Amino acid sequence: MYPQHTFASETDTPAPAPGSQNSAFLEEKAFRARTVLVFGTITDIVAAETVRRLLALDAESSAPIDMIVSSPGGHLESGDAIHDVVRFIDSPVNMIGTGWVGSAATHLYLSAPLERRVCLPQTRFLIHQPSGGAGGRASDMALQAREIIKARERIAAVIARQTGQPLERVREDIERDLWMPATEAISYGLVSRIIERRQELTRF
């Protein structure tokens, strides 16, 4: 699903983690390796951090960026932000799925061209239509329902474009949760191939 989430206030600054110095070291190593990690629920905070890293890496060089994705999904518009920025920057992005890639995470994963979409052997993928909690006045509920339908059509169009599947089939497939292991995701057109080692990641 693409649920709405409650976000922390911008004034709520979390206390530094005990291993923050080590985390900074790992962040620096990941940056030098041109690797971006997208793990966990996709929120506006995750999207902002991911976009910031993508823009910084793109400003440094036009060499490929590796994005490793393991996420159940999250907020649709946050996924949109990452999706659009991947297509906006000059540096090509290699999408590497691992764990599970679901919902809004699948949406951002599809921002890369097929030949740059790979996954590790145990990865599972999920596609389905967006959903949202409708409440309040009848007029508000009707407006939310129309927006969900628009979002569903937009998501279906992206999946169809990026996988080569007929739009009508995609519409039918996302009516319910459609889980795919890596091999089925290849057949569907979500993934180009399965890799087991970094050396197998082709550089274009």
Side-chain angles (χ1 to χ4, degrees):
M1 298 180 181
Y2 300 94
Q4 296 287 334
H5 293 278
T6 301
F7 301 113
S9 167
E10 291 183 5
T11 59
D12 294 336
T13 305
S20 57
Q21 185 173 3
N22 188 49
S23 295
F25 171 77
L26 294 176
E27 285 282 339
E28 175 67 17
K29 295 289 283 186
F31 187 86
R32 290 184 180 278
R34 298 185 67 78
T35 301
V36 176
L37 306 181
V38 179
F39 277 63
T41 303
I42 297 170
T43 65
D44 58 345
I45 296 172
V46 170
E49 286 296 307
T50 303
V51 167
R52 180 177 64 81
R53 287 177 172 84
L54 288 170
L55 292 174
L57 288 168
D58 186 54
E60 184 180 71
S61 166
S62 60
I65 298 168
D66 296 336
M67 181 177 287
I68 302 177
V69 182
S70 179
S71 166
H75 189 244
L76 175 57
E77 283 72 19
S78 297
D80 281 338
I82 301 171
H83 178 105
D84 288 348
V85 169
V86 167
R87 297 171 66 88
F88 171 78
I89 61 177
D90 292 328
S91 301
V93 177
N94 297 318
M95 288 289 178
I96 306 163
T98 185
W100 60 343
V101 180
S103 197
T106 305
H107 181 56
L108 71 87
Y109 180 86
L110 287 173
S111 59
L114 178 59
E115 66 270 15
R116 291 189 179 275
R117 299 196 304 261
V118 300
C119 72
L120 302 184
Q122 309 305 320
T123 314
R124 292 199 306 157
F125 292 83
L126 168 65
I127 59 172
H128 61 182
Q129 63 180 316
S131 64
R137 296 174 298 183
S139 57
D140 292 334
M141 293 172 65
L143 177 60
Q144 291 178 43
R146 287 196 297 271
E147 290 304 310
I148 290 172
I149 291 171
K150 288 179 184 178
R152 182 183 64 192
E153 286 300 303
R154 180 164 60 82
I155 293 303
V158 169
I159 295 172
R161 182 190 72 216
Q162 295 298 90
T163 64
Q165 294 291 343
L167 180 57
E168 194 54 44
R169 176 183 175 179
V170 173
R171 286 181 179 137
E172 293 176 3
D173 287 342
I174 66 174
E175 282 297 315
R176 294 278 188 265
D177 288 357
L178 178 58
W179 286 97
M180 288 176 269
T183 52
E184 290 180 16
I186 290 174
S187 299
Y188 200 88
L190 291 173
V191 182
S192 63
R193 60 198 174 92
I194 299 168
I195 64 172
E196 295 190 25
R197 304 193 182 282
R198 188 166 193 145
Q199 294 89 328
E200 300 173 55
L201 189 60
T202 304
R203 296 291 177 174
F204 297 91

